Amino acid sequence: MDLENQKRVKEFAEEYGPENVVVVLGAAEGEGAGLAAETVTAGDPTFAGPLTGVQLGLTVYHVCEEELKAEFDPDVYDEQVGMMEMVLDLDDIAGEMSAIRDDFCKFL
């Protein structure tokens, strides 16, 4: 997650309260999604950005996870995400995201 997005997430958590912020990721593979998820929950593991040492504990999902997918209009989801979903390793992504939520999310 780039430094500007870290800054935005931190500002939203401060403005609205971390219990009211849900981060939706769209990384193409599990490791990238897991790194971004760890950043917004446990703090920036690269020690380079505004979330270094900041444990927000935010709720975080990948757009392709079933829990989140169910929240979208199926036609819109198919139009916007459907093609990409066919080439992703959804089990890997879901496993990474679930592990991060179990370990670091405070507001499930």
Side-chain angles (χ1 to χ4, degrees):
M1 176 175 287
D2 69 32
L3 304 182
E4 185 61 32
N5 283 335
Q6 285 189 39
K7 180 181 172 205
R8 287 182 186 142
V9 168
K10 185 177 180 187
E11 288 171 352
F12 285 138
E14 290 168 351
E15 182 175 350
Y16 300 107
E19 69 279 4
N20 297 313
V21 176
V22 175
V23 177
V24 178
L25 302 173
E29 47 87 35
E31 188 176 345
L35 184 61
E38 185 177 348
T39 299
V40 300
T41 57
D44 184 358
T46 67
F47 301 101
L51 293 178
T52 296
V54 179
Q55 297 181 353
L56 294 175
L58 300 178
T59 302
V60 61
Y61 286 94
H62 191 279
V63 70
C64 293
E65 287 186 273
E66 291 300 323
E67 301 93 333
L68 192 62
K69 184 177 175 180
E71 299 297 320
F72 296 110
D73 177 291
D75 293 331
V76 173
Y77 184 89
D78 189 49
E79 178 184 322
Q80 298 295 319
V81 183
M83 288 284 274
M84 194 63 194
E85 187 181 57
M86 294 187 322
V87 299
L88 298 176
D89 184 344
L90 300 177
D91 291 336
D92 181 47
I93 290 170
E96 284 282 337
M97 299 304 293
S98 179
I100 295 294
R101 280 193 301 272
D102 289 346
D103 290 344
F104 301 116
C105 286
K106 298 176 185 176
F107 308 102
L108 290 175

XYZ file of all heavy atoms in Angstrom:
817
model
N 0.857 -1.172 0.000
C 0.000 0.000 0.000
C 0.899 1.230 0.000
O 1.783 1.354 0.848
C -0.900 -0.010 1.233
C -1.755 1.224 1.360
S -2.910 1.154 2.735
C -4.097 -0.011 2.097
N 0.648 2.123 -0.959
C 1.526 3.294 -1.065
C 1.305 4.271 0.088
O 0.330 4.179 0.838
C 1.385 3.967 -2.426
C 0.049 4.658 -2.646
O -0.552 5.167 -1.680
O -0.391 4.703 -3.808
N 2.234 5.194 0.221
C 2.226 6.114 1.362
C 1.013 7.024 1.369
O 0.459 7.333 2.439
C 3.516 6.933 1.370
C 4.818 6.131 1.383
C 6.015 7.066 1.436
C 4.841 5.156 2.524
N 0.557 7.452 0.193
C -0.614 8.333 0.118
C -1.878 7.602 0.588
O -2.688 8.164 1.318
C -0.796 8.859 -1.307
C -1.909 9.873 -1.445
C -1.716 11.145 -0.614
O -0.556 11.563 -0.400
O -2.731 11.719 -0.176
N -2.029 6.356 0.188
C -3.196 5.588 0.642
C -3.133 5.305 2.134
O -4.156 5.323 2.819
C -3.341 4.300 -0.162
C -3.915 4.549 -1.526
O -4.612 5.534 -1.766
N -3.621 3.661 -2.464
N -1.937 5.059 2.654
C -1.803 4.891 4.104
C -2.265 6.155 4.827
O -2.985 6.086 5.827
C -0.351 4.595 4.485
C 0.104 3.198 4.182
C 1.458 2.913 4.785
O 1.753 3.341 5.908
N 2.283 2.175 4.059
N -1.859 7.291 4.311
C -2.240 8.570 4.918
C -3.761 8.739 4.887
O -4.368 9.137 5.892
C -1.568 9.714 4.165
C -1.887 11.077 4.700
C -1.191 12.160 3.880
C -1.691 13.524 4.331
N -1.570 14.521 3.298
N -4.384 8.419 3.766
C -5.845 8.557 3.646
C -6.574 7.637 4.624
O -7.535 8.049 5.276
C -6.292 8.234 2.221
C -5.944 9.286 1.229
C -6.465 8.911 -0.132
N -6.010 9.860 -1.118
C -5.641 9.552 -2.339
N -5.676 8.296 -2.744
N -5.234 10.471 -3.172
N -6.135 6.389 4.699
C -6.767 5.436 5.607
C -6.647 5.930 7.042
O -7.618 5.904 7.807
C -6.144 4.030 5.447
C -6.576 3.111 6.568
C -6.525 3.435 4.095
N -5.479 6.402 7.424
C -5.270 6.909 8.786
C -6.179 8.101 9.068
O -6.796 8.188 10.138
C -3.804 7.302 8.973
C -3.462 7.714 10.381
C -1.981 8.019 10.519
C -1.658 8.435 11.943
N -0.274 8.884 12.070
N -6.292 9.012 8.106
C -7.157 10.189 8.282
C -8.625 9.786 8.416
O -9.346 10.329 9.252
C -6.976 11.150 7.111
C -5.644 11.873 7.137
C -5.351 12.665 5.868
O -6.103 12.547 4.864
O -4.348 13.408 5.867
N -9.076 8.832 7.595
C -10.465 8.367 7.696
C -10.724 7.720 9.051
O -11.774 7.951 9.667
C -10.810 7.373 6.585
C -10.998 8.006 5.236
C -10.483 7.399 4.103
C -11.690 9.191 5.075
C -10.654 7.955 2.847
C -11.868 9.761 3.827
C -11.346 9.143 2.712
N -9.788 6.919 9.530
C -9.948 6.272 10.833
C -10.018 7.306 11.948
O -10.803 7.162 12.891
C -8.815 5.282 11.077
N -9.215 8.354 11.845
C -9.239 9.423 12.850
C -10.532 10.225 12.769
O -11.110 10.582 13.797
C -8.034 10.337 12.671
C -6.721 9.685 13.053
C -5.489 10.472 12.618
O -5.621 11.467 11.858
O -4.378 10.094 13.039
N -10.987 10.499 11.558
C -12.178 11.330 11.377
C -13.468 10.598 11.736
O -14.346 11.153 12.384
C -12.256 11.809 9.930
C -13.445 12.722 9.653
C -13.447 13.292 8.244
O -12.448 13.145 7.515
O -14.479 13.879 7.870
N -13.599 9.354 11.308
C -14.853 8.610 11.475
C -14.817 7.578 12.589
O -15.849 7.001 12.928
C -15.238 7.926 10.162
C -15.443 8.910 9.041
C -14.513 9.026 8.015
C -16.558 9.746 9.010
C -14.685 9.941 6.985
C -16.739 10.665 7.980
C -15.801 10.750 6.981
O -15.974 11.654 5.960
N -13.650 7.313 13.124
C -13.483 6.267 14.124
C -13.183 4.946 13.436
O -13.847 4.597 12.463
N -12.192 4.208 13.921
C -11.795 2.969 13.255
C -12.899 1.915 13.202
O -12.930 1.089 12.307
C -10.586 2.486 14.065
C -10.690 3.195 15.363
C -11.397 4.482 15.097
N -13.819 1.977 14.145
C -14.934 1.017 14.144
C -15.914 1.274 13.003
O -16.750 0.426 12.693
C -15.669 1.044 15.495
C -16.453 2.318 15.759
C -15.627 3.493 16.279
O -14.389 3.402 16.387
O -16.245 4.523 16.593
N -15.812 2.419 12.347
C -16.715 2.794 11.256
C -16.055 2.759 9.882
O -16.640 3.232 8.913
C -17.258 4.207 11.504
C -18.089 4.268 12.758
O -18.950 3.433 12.992
N -17.804 5.239 13.594
N -14.857 2.208 9.802
C -14.127 2.169 8.537
C -13.914 0.715 8.130
O -13.462 -0.100 8.934
C -12.761 2.879 8.656
C -11.960 2.746 7.362
C -12.960 4.344 9.014
N -14.259 0.402 6.885
C -13.988 -0.907 6.296
C -13.117 -0.677 5.075
O -13.453 0.133 4.213
C -15.286 -1.638 5.893
C -14.974 -2.950 5.173
C -16.166 -1.884 7.107
N -11.995 -1.369 5.003
C -11.083 -1.247 3.875
C -11.361 -2.386 2.905
O -11.402 -3.550 3.307
C -9.618 -1.286 4.351
C -8.666 -1.226 3.166
C -9.349 -0.135 5.316
N -11.546 -2.029 1.631
C -11.789 -3.014 0.579
C -10.578 -3.009 -0.345
O -10.241 -1.980 -0.926
C -13.079 -2.704 -0.207
C -13.286 -3.725 -1.322
C -14.281 -2.664 0.725
N -9.955 -4.169 -0.462
C -8.754 -4.313 -1.288
C -9.084 -5.037 -2.587
O -10.075 -5.755 -2.668
C -7.690 -5.095 -0.520
C -7.270 -4.500 0.821
C -6.348 -5.462 1.547
C -6.614 -3.148 0.619
N -8.205 -4.892 -3.562
C -8.418 -5.553 -4.844
C -7.135 -6.118 -5.425
O -7.045 -6.312 -6.630
N -6.137 -6.388 -4.602
C -4.862 -6.910 -5.085
C -5.076 -8.210 -5.849
O -5.974 -8.992 -5.538
C -3.902 -7.137 -3.917
N -4.228 -8.441 -6.839
C -4.400 -9.589 -7.725
C -3.881 -10.901 -7.150
O -4.093 -11.951 -7.749
C -3.730 -9.307 -9.064
N -3.209 -10.868 -6.015
C -2.719 -12.108 -5.417
C -2.727 -12.004 -3.898
O -2.761 -10.910 -3.333
C -1.342 -12.482 -5.971
C -0.317 -11.373 -6.015
C 0.444 -11.246 -4.714
O 0.702 -12.278 -4.081
O 0.755 -10.112 -4.337
N -2.729 -13.157 -3.254
C -2.888 -13.219 -1.809
C -1.818 -12.505 -1.016
O -2.113 -11.834 -0.033
N -0.565 -12.630 -1.425
C 0.516 -11.996 -0.672
C 0.389 -10.474 -0.672
O 0.555 -9.822 0.360
C 1.873 -12.404 -1.242
C 3.032 -11.933 -0.399
C 4.382 -12.422 -0.922
O 4.413 -13.342 -1.752
O 5.389 -11.869 -0.473
N 0.061 -9.904 -1.812
C -0.121 -8.447 -1.899
C -1.313 -7.983 -1.085
O -1.251 -6.961 -0.390
N -2.402 -8.731 -1.161
C -3.586 -8.393 -0.371
C -3.277 -8.510 1.116
O -3.680 -7.661 1.916
C -4.756 -9.309 -0.747
N -2.536 -9.548 1.487
C -2.182 -9.741 2.889
C -1.298 -8.628 3.426
O -1.485 -8.171 4.553
N -0.361 -8.170 2.615
C 0.521 -7.074 3.034
C -0.271 -5.786 3.259
O -0.099 -5.101 4.268
C 1.622 -6.851 1.998
C 2.665 -5.800 2.338
C 3.416 -6.150 3.604
C 3.641 -5.647 1.177
N -1.177 -5.485 2.331
C -2.013 -4.288 2.488
C -2.945 -4.432 3.691
O -3.152 -3.482 4.446
C -2.812 -4.034 1.215
N -3.504 -5.623 3.872
C -4.392 -5.858 5.014
C -3.641 -5.720 6.333
O -4.150 -5.121 7.287
C -5.027 -7.243 4.898
N -2.436 -6.247 6.381
C -1.627 -6.108 7.595
C -1.328 -4.645 7.879
O -1.337 -4.203 9.029
C -0.324 -6.895 7.457
C 0.508 -6.883 8.716
C 1.763 -7.725 8.627
O 1.915 -8.516 7.677
O 2.607 -7.586 9.525
N -1.095 -3.870 6.837
C -0.776 -2.452 6.998
C -1.912 -1.703 7.686
O -1.665 -0.884 8.571
C -0.465 -1.819 5.628
O 0.676 -2.486 5.067
C -0.174 -0.338 5.747
N -3.168 -1.968 7.308
C -4.297 -1.221 7.880
C -4.824 -1.822 9.177
O -5.714 -1.258 9.801
C -5.453 -1.050 6.864
C -4.981 -0.307 5.635
C -6.085 -2.377 6.495
N -4.273 -2.959 9.569
C -4.696 -3.556 10.831
C -3.603 -3.461 11.892
O -3.825 -2.925 12.972
C -5.099 -5.038 10.637
O -4.008 -5.757 10.061
C -6.338 -5.164 9.782
N -2.405 -3.977 11.564
C -1.326 -4.068 12.548
C -0.263 -2.990 12.392
O 0.599 -2.853 13.250
C -0.664 -5.445 12.450
N -0.304 -2.245 11.299
C 0.703 -1.222 11.043
C 1.577 -1.611 9.867
O 1.660 -2.766 9.492
N 2.224 -0.638 9.275
C 3.038 -0.850 8.084
C 4.234 -1.752 8.388
O 5.158 -1.345 9.082
C 3.517 0.496 7.544
C 4.298 0.387 6.250
O 4.510 -0.739 5.764
O 4.694 1.434 5.717
N 4.226 -2.984 7.851
C 5.332 -3.899 8.148
C 6.642 -3.515 7.461
O 7.693 -4.041 7.812
C 4.819 -5.250 7.631
C 3.834 -4.906 6.579
C 3.207 -3.598 7.009
N 6.592 -2.578 6.510
C 7.819 -2.136 5.846
C 8.470 -0.975 6.586
O 9.553 -0.542 6.221
C 7.545 -1.704 4.392
O 6.739 -0.518 4.394
C 6.868 -2.808 3.607
N 7.799 -0.454 7.595
C 8.301 0.663 8.403
C 8.640 1.886 7.553
O 9.613 2.578 7.810
C 9.518 0.237 9.238
C 9.222 -0.894 10.168
C 9.596 -2.192 9.849
C 8.548 -0.668 11.354
C 9.309 -3.248 10.708
C 8.256 -1.713 12.220
C 8.633 -3.002 11.886
N 7.807 2.141 6.535
C 8.106 3.241 5.616
C 7.012 4.302 5.560
O 7.254 5.386 5.065
C 8.322 2.688 4.204
N 5.822 3.988 6.031
C 4.716 4.916 5.817
C 4.076 5.449 7.074
O 4.510 5.143 8.196
N 3.021 6.236 6.896
C 2.314 6.856 8.015
C 1.711 5.860 9.005
O 1.406 6.223 10.128
C 1.208 7.669 7.339
C 1.654 7.869 5.947
C 2.502 6.689 5.605
N 1.540 4.609 8.591
C 0.961 3.620 9.495
C 2.018 2.772 10.207
O 1.695 1.803 10.872
C -0.026 2.715 8.738
C -1.286 3.436 8.258
C -2.189 2.503 7.479
C -2.049 4.055 9.427
N 3.270 3.167 10.109
C 4.333 2.479 10.845
C 4.050 2.586 12.340
O 3.893 3.681 12.872
C 5.706 3.101 10.522
O 5.983 2.906 9.140
C 6.805 2.469 11.359
N 3.923 1.443 12.980
C 3.678 1.418 14.420
C 2.262 1.806 14.821
O 1.972 1.928 16.001
N 1.370 1.991 13.849
C -0.015 2.384 14.126
C -0.913 1.167 13.924
O -1.104 0.713 12.804
C -0.466 3.542 13.204
C -1.908 3.916 13.497
C 0.453 4.737 13.368
N -1.460 0.651 14.994
C -2.311 -0.534 14.925
C -3.768 -0.112 14.923
O -4.407 -0.022 15.960
C -2.006 -1.458 16.090
C -0.588 -1.979 16.072
C -0.299 -2.914 17.235
O -1.109 -3.095 18.132
N 0.872 -3.509 17.210
N -4.296 0.141 13.724
C -5.679 0.606 13.605
C -6.695 -0.513 13.829
O -7.813 -0.255 14.252
C -5.907 1.235 12.228
C -5.136 2.520 11.939
C -5.369 2.955 10.494
C -5.532 3.618 12.910
N -6.338 -1.744 13.512
C -7.257 -2.866 13.705
C -8.478 -2.813 12.813
O -9.514 -3.389 13.152
N -8.391 -2.120 11.684
C -9.550 -1.928 10.822
C -10.075 -3.241 10.247
O -9.327 -4.199 10.056
C -9.193 -0.995 9.657
C -8.739 0.406 10.039
C -8.386 1.201 8.798
C -9.798 1.125 10.854
N -11.348 -3.259 9.960
C -11.944 -4.379 9.259
C -11.519 -4.290 7.804
O -11.595 -3.219 7.198
C -13.481 -4.332 9.378
O -13.830 -4.336 10.760
C -14.114 -5.512 8.682
N -11.071 -5.403 7.239
C -10.532 -5.391 5.889
C -11.000 -6.631 5.127
O -11.034 -7.733 5.681
C -8.988 -5.273 5.909
C -8.345 -6.433 6.623
C -8.426 -5.093 4.523
N -11.412 -6.419 3.889
C -11.857 -7.498 3.006
C -11.265 -7.299 1.624
O -10.946 -6.177 1.232
C -13.382 -7.501 2.857
C -14.105 -8.007 4.068
C -14.567 -7.132 5.037
C -14.336 -9.358 4.250
C -15.236 -7.586 6.157
C -15.004 -9.830 5.366
C -15.459 -8.938 6.308
O -16.107 -9.398 7.418
N -11.171 -8.375 0.882
C -10.850 -8.317 -0.543
C -12.177 -8.309 -1.282
O -13.129 -8.967 -0.885
C -10.008 -9.531 -0.960
C -9.439 -9.396 -2.327
N -10.181 -9.658 -3.454
C -8.211 -9.004 -2.755
C -9.429 -9.449 -4.516
N -8.221 -9.044 -4.120
N -12.237 -7.571 -2.365
C -13.481 -7.414 -3.116
C -14.051 -8.753 -3.586
O -15.265 -8.877 -3.768
C -13.287 -6.425 -4.296
C -12.400 -7.023 -5.376
C -14.617 -5.966 -4.863
N -13.208 -9.764 -3.750
C -13.673 -11.060 -4.243
C -14.097 -12.033 -3.143
O -14.542 -13.134 -3.446
C -12.586 -11.719 -5.095
S -12.263 -10.851 -6.631
N -13.973 -11.651 -1.892
C -14.411 -12.548 -0.819
C -15.932 -12.639 -0.810
O -16.638 -11.649 -1.015
C -13.915 -12.052 0.532
C -12.427 -12.254 0.721
C -12.016 -11.877 2.110
O -11.732 -10.690 2.336
O -11.993 -12.782 2.975
N -16.431 -13.839 -0.549
C -17.873 -14.087 -0.615
C -18.679 -13.162 0.295
O -19.752 -12.694 -0.083
C -18.175 -15.556 -0.291
C -17.704 -16.521 -1.360
C -18.347 -16.288 -2.730
O -19.534 -15.951 -2.797
O -17.622 -16.438 -3.731
N -18.156 -12.874 1.503
C -18.894 -12.009 2.431
C -19.127 -10.624 1.840
O -20.185 -10.025 2.049
C -18.147 -11.845 3.758
C -17.864 -13.121 4.499
C -16.495 -13.709 4.162
O -15.971 -13.480 3.071
O -15.970 -14.426 5.034
N -18.155 -10.122 1.137
C -18.281 -8.788 0.551
C -19.010 -8.845 -0.782
O -19.841 -7.988 -1.072
C -16.898 -8.161 0.375
C -16.914 -6.685 0.037
C -17.565 -5.884 1.168
C -15.518 -6.184 -0.208
N -18.703 -9.847 -1.563
C -19.345 -10.004 -2.874
C -20.872 -10.006 -2.749
O -21.573 -9.450 -3.588
C -18.856 -11.305 -3.515
C -19.353 -11.552 -4.900
C -18.744 -12.831 -5.452
C -19.326 -13.171 -6.795
N -18.760 -14.399 -7.345
N -21.373 -10.594 -1.684
C -22.820 -10.671 -1.459
C -23.457 -9.294 -1.264
O -24.666 -9.145 -1.407
C -23.110 -11.555 -0.248
N -22.664 -8.288 -0.943
C -23.173 -6.937 -0.702
C -23.395 -6.136 -1.984
O -24.038 -5.092 -1.961
C -22.223 -6.164 0.216
C -22.037 -6.778 1.584
C -23.329 -6.817 2.379
O -24.102 -5.831 2.316
O -23.567 -7.839 3.042
N -22.856 -6.606 -3.099
C -22.939 -5.868 -4.356
C -24.096 -6.327 -5.216
O -24.511 -7.487 -5.156
C -21.643 -6.055 -5.174
C -20.426 -5.499 -4.516
C -19.454 -6.339 -4.012
C -20.235 -4.135 -4.404
C -18.316 -5.834 -3.408
C -19.105 -3.613 -3.802
C -18.148 -4.470 -3.306
N -24.588 -5.420 -6.057
C -25.535 -5.801 -7.095
C -24.803 -6.790 -8.003
O -23.714 -6.474 -8.511
C -25.960 -4.559 -7.877
C -26.877 -4.880 -9.024
O -26.400 -5.510 -9.996
O -28.046 -4.487 -8.970
N -25.364 -7.984 -8.228
C -24.664 -9.001 -9.015
C -24.275 -8.548 -10.425
O -23.201 -8.902 -10.921
C -25.651 -10.165 -9.081
C -26.567 -9.962 -7.930
C -26.637 -8.477 -7.711
N -25.107 -7.755 -11.072
C -24.787 -7.287 -12.418
C -23.604 -6.319 -12.406
O -22.729 -6.377 -13.267
C -26.002 -6.620 -13.068
C -27.123 -7.605 -13.348
O -26.828 -8.802 -13.580
O -28.298 -7.181 -13.339
N -23.584 -5.428 -11.431
C -22.478 -4.476 -11.319
C -21.189 -5.214 -10.978
O -20.135 -4.953 -11.564
C -22.788 -3.388 -10.269
C -21.581 -2.497 -10.022
C -23.996 -2.568 -10.698
N -21.271 -6.156 -10.048
C -20.087 -6.929 -9.673
C -19.534 -7.667 -10.887
O -18.329 -7.629 -11.161
C -20.409 -7.927 -8.559
C -19.197 -8.680 -8.086
C -18.416 -8.182 -7.058
C -18.816 -9.883 -8.677
C -17.283 -8.846 -6.626
C -17.683 -10.557 -8.258
C -16.926 -10.042 -7.227
O -15.804 -10.697 -6.823
N -20.402 -8.325 -11.610
C -19.968 -9.080 -12.782
C -19.309 -8.167 -13.811
O -18.267 -8.502 -14.377
C -21.149 -9.824 -13.402
C -20.702 -10.787 -14.474
O -19.766 -11.578 -14.224
O -21.279 -10.737 -15.578
N -19.889 -7.004 -14.023
C -19.340 -6.055 -14.993
C -17.975 -5.514 -14.566
O -17.070 -5.362 -15.373
C -20.320 -4.892 -15.178
C -19.839 -3.824 -16.131
C -20.805 -2.653 -16.208
O -22.027 -2.874 -16.176
O -20.310 -1.517 -16.277
N -17.825 -5.231 -13.286
C -16.620 -4.576 -12.791
C -15.512 -5.540 -12.353
O -14.334 -5.202 -12.442
C -16.965 -3.640 -11.625
C -17.905 -2.524 -11.987
C -17.294 -1.564 -12.991
O -16.124 -1.211 -12.898
N -18.083 -1.151 -13.963
N -15.889 -6.712 -11.852
C -14.909 -7.608 -11.245
C -14.914 -9.009 -11.856
O -13.921 -9.725 -11.786
C -15.150 -7.718 -9.707
C -14.105 -8.570 -9.025
C -15.214 -6.346 -9.063
N -15.999 -9.386 -12.468
C -16.192 -10.761 -12.922
C -15.058 -11.331 -13.750
O -14.607 -12.464 -13.519
N -14.566 -10.590 -14.731
C -13.494 -11.096 -15.586
C -12.219 -11.342 -14.782
O -11.548 -12.359 -14.967
C -13.199 -10.107 -16.726
C -14.273 -10.075 -17.775
S -14.185 -11.506 -18.831
C -13.001 -10.923 -20.016
N -11.883 -10.442 -13.916
C -10.665 -10.586 -13.119
C -10.788 -11.755 -12.147
O -9.828 -12.493 -11.921
C -10.388 -9.282 -12.362
C -9.022 -9.192 -11.797
S -7.804 -9.212 -13.117
C -6.354 -9.504 -12.179
N -11.977 -11.923 -11.599
C -12.198 -12.993 -10.632
C -11.872 -14.369 -11.229
O -11.426 -15.265 -10.527
C -13.650 -12.949 -10.156
C -13.951 -13.903 -9.042
C -15.399 -13.845 -8.623
O -16.278 -14.057 -9.480
O -15.647 -13.583 -7.444
N -12.061 -14.514 -12.525
C -11.838 -15.812 -13.181
C -10.363 -16.207 -13.206
O -10.045 -17.382 -13.343
C -12.405 -15.794 -14.605
C -13.914 -15.669 -14.619
S -14.717 -15.821 -16.217
C -13.647 -15.021 -17.354
N -9.452 -15.260 -13.077
C -8.018 -15.581 -13.153
C -7.300 -15.486 -11.808
O -6.117 -15.745 -11.733
C -7.304 -14.689 -14.201
C -7.885 -14.921 -15.576
C -7.359 -13.230 -13.815
N -8.007 -15.119 -10.771
C -7.395 -14.982 -9.446
C -7.421 -16.302 -8.685
O -8.319 -17.123 -8.887
C -8.130 -13.921 -8.623
C -8.130 -12.504 -9.157
C -8.982 -11.617 -8.261
C -6.719 -11.960 -9.267
N -6.477 -16.474 -7.784
C -6.491 -17.612 -6.871
C -7.314 -17.173 -5.650
O -6.778 -16.663 -4.664
C -5.072 -17.996 -6.476
C -5.014 -19.239 -5.600
O -6.059 -19.639 -5.036
O -3.912 -19.797 -5.468
N -8.613 -17.364 -5.749
C -9.525 -16.865 -4.722
C -9.311 -17.527 -3.365
O -9.454 -16.876 -2.329
C -10.972 -17.026 -5.179
C -11.344 -16.287 -6.465
C -12.781 -16.576 -6.848
C -11.111 -14.798 -6.318
N -8.947 -18.795 -3.362
C -8.699 -19.483 -2.087
C -7.483 -18.901 -1.375
O -7.502 -18.717 -0.155
C -8.506 -20.983 -2.314
C -9.787 -21.678 -2.753
O -10.884 -21.160 -2.455
O -9.685 -22.735 -3.403
N -6.438 -18.602 -2.131
C -5.234 -17.999 -1.550
C -5.559 -16.626 -0.971
O -5.168 -16.309 0.160
C -4.139 -17.894 -2.614
C -2.856 -17.288 -2.078
O -2.405 -17.714 -0.989
O -2.297 -16.399 -2.742
N -6.274 -15.819 -1.730
C -6.641 -14.475 -1.276
C -7.512 -14.559 -0.019
O -7.250 -13.876 0.974
C -7.350 -13.695 -2.397
C -6.341 -13.360 -3.507
C -8.017 -12.436 -1.851
C -6.970 -12.808 -4.773
N -8.526 -15.411 -0.057
C -9.427 -15.542 1.094
C -8.675 -16.033 2.326
O -8.928 -15.567 3.442
C -10.580 -16.479 0.758
N -7.741 -16.951 2.139
C -6.951 -17.452 3.263
C -6.101 -16.365 3.895
O -6.033 -16.253 5.124
N -5.436 -15.585 3.060
C -4.619 -14.467 3.561
C -5.474 -13.470 4.334
O -5.115 -13.032 5.429
C -3.926 -13.743 2.405
C -2.753 -14.472 1.829
C -1.508 -14.341 2.671
O -1.376 -13.373 3.451
O -0.648 -15.227 2.541
N -6.601 -13.099 3.755
C -7.456 -12.084 4.374
C -8.044 -12.592 5.692
O -8.093 -11.866 6.679
C -8.567 -11.672 3.403
C -8.044 -11.070 2.102
S -6.969 -9.646 2.332
C -8.134 -8.489 2.975
N -8.476 -13.827 5.695
C -9.054 -14.411 6.905
C -8.022 -14.454 8.032
O -8.329 -14.125 9.185
C -9.571 -15.813 6.597
O -10.119 -16.399 7.746
N -6.800 -14.836 7.704
C -5.743 -14.898 8.719
C -5.459 -13.518 9.300
O -5.304 -13.375 10.526
C -4.468 -15.492 8.114
N -5.408 -12.512 8.456
C -5.161 -11.140 8.937
C -6.306 -10.684 9.834
O -6.086 -10.118 10.912
C -4.970 -10.168 7.758
C -3.714 -10.502 6.971
C -4.970 -8.714 8.231
C -2.413 -10.305 7.721
N -7.547 -10.935 9.400
C -8.696 -10.535 10.239
C -8.658 -11.241 11.591
O -8.883 -10.627 12.629
C -10.015 -10.810 9.517
C -10.388 -9.766 8.504
C -11.830 -9.906 8.048
N -12.093 -11.206 7.451
C -11.912 -11.496 6.164
N -11.446 -10.592 5.329
N -12.188 -12.703 5.709
N -8.370 -12.532 11.579
C -8.323 -13.293 12.830
C -7.250 -12.766 13.778
O -7.461 -12.718 14.985
C -8.061 -14.779 12.548
C -9.234 -15.484 11.901
O -10.352 -14.927 11.887
O -9.025 -16.598 11.377
N -6.115 -12.367 13.216
C -4.993 -11.940 14.052
C -5.064 -10.479 14.493
O -4.640 -10.146 15.590
C -3.662 -12.154 13.311
C -3.305 -13.617 13.167
O -3.903 -14.459 13.881
O -2.425 -13.924 12.342
N -5.591 -9.591 13.623
C -5.391 -8.169 13.886
C -6.642 -7.295 13.897
O -6.572 -6.165 14.393
C -4.407 -7.589 12.861
C -3.062 -8.248 12.859
C -2.626 -8.943 11.739
C -2.225 -8.170 13.960
C -1.383 -9.558 11.727
C -0.981 -8.774 13.953
C -0.551 -9.478 12.831
N -7.740 -7.738 13.316
C -8.934 -6.868 13.256
C -9.574 -6.760 14.634
O -9.770 -7.767 15.330
C -9.950 -7.399 12.252
S -9.452 -7.124 10.554
N -9.926 -5.543 15.000
C -10.546 -5.280 16.296
C -12.049 -5.043 16.195
O -12.747 -5.024 17.197
C -9.923 -4.036 16.927
C -8.453 -4.143 17.209
C -7.900 -2.830 17.744
C -6.411 -2.863 17.922
N -5.878 -1.569 18.339
N -12.550 -4.844 14.970
C -13.934 -4.384 14.816
C -14.734 -5.263 13.866
O -15.333 -4.777 12.919
C -13.946 -2.937 14.306
C -13.104 -2.009 15.120
C -11.854 -1.613 14.679
C -13.540 -1.566 16.359
C -11.059 -0.763 15.437
C -12.756 -0.730 17.127
C -11.512 -0.328 16.670
N -14.766 -6.552 14.086
C -15.531 -7.443 13.206
C -16.975 -7.516 13.610
O -17.352 -7.438 14.703
C -14.918 -8.835 13.187
C -13.582 -8.918 12.469
C -13.001 -10.313 12.601
C -13.718 -8.560 11.018
